[in-house]
Amino acid sequence: MTALIARPITPESFAPFGRVYDLSGAASPDVKVMAGEGWADSFTLRPLIDGSGHLGMTQGPAAPWSCRQMERHPLTEEALFCATAPIVLAVAAASDAPAPAATTLAAFILRPGMVAVMKRGVWHDACRGLNGPAPYYWMALCGLGNDPWVPVAGGPVEVRA
């Protein structure tokens, strides 16, 4: 079984799959930060996803795991963000193929304050907690059709943090 080591997410490393926001850092061209006495408020300067998304929450088990299946959403972007603890996201390149290719998988670590917005059609597995089971939030348009989970072609792939 092929092994894949997750790396910290950055806008540059995640660019083939989507975009990244850091709401825990300083202001940037994509994020505005306002502060007062003992508080800071950060937000994205553009809407998080295209369209009026639905907010969801998933409880993920702990990494490492064997990535055997993935899903994709050709009709919506999907944003993922931590609730209280870091998570690991496994993705594969968007394609017209009927299944994600094991050779295109990448894995990223998101820490609280980081947001990953996947492009339409990017294959992904459910996230796992970096240091144990962890909840995380997602935002996407729902009810657009069936997005089946399919086996990873050439897989499975062992995802480690």
Side-chain angles (χ1 to χ4, degrees), residues 10-160:
T10 66
E12 297 77 22
S13 66
F14 195 69
F17 308 102
R19 59 190 184 280
V20 173
Y21 299 98
D22 183 357
L23 299 177
S24 65
S28 71
D30 298 319
V31 173
K32 181 170 180 151
V33 178
M34 300 180 332
E37 283 189 43
W39 60 270
D41 184 37
S42 303
F43 60 92
T44 62
L45 290 173
R46 65 174 267 197
L48 192 55
I49 64 169
D50 294 336
S52 298
H54 298 85
L55 180 62
M57 184 174 177
T58 300
Q59 174 67 42
W65 79 97
S66 179
C67 181
R68 298 179 181 282
Q69 295 184 326
M70 295 183 132
E71 69 170 343
R72 65 179 167 184
H73 308 292
L75 301 177
T76 184
E77 295 177 309
E78 182 175 356
L80 301 168
F81 38 104
C82 308
T84 59
I87 58 173
V88 180
L89 165 64
V91 293
S95 72
D96 292 329
T103 57
T104 69
L105 263 69
F108 300 95
I109 299 168
L110 283 83
R111 301 205 175 273
M114 303 296 294
V115 181
V117 181
M118 293 180 290
K119 297 176 185 176
R120 294 169 193 244
V122 167
W123 294 96
H124 63 283
D125 196 353
C127 295
R128 305 309 202 269
L130 178 65
N131 300 312
Y136 64 94
Y137 294 98
W138 54 266
M139 179 178 277
L141 296 174
C142 295
L144 300 176
N146 187 21
D147 296 326
W149 288 84
V150 298
V152 174
V157 174
E158 181 76 14
V159 181
R160 301 179 189 154

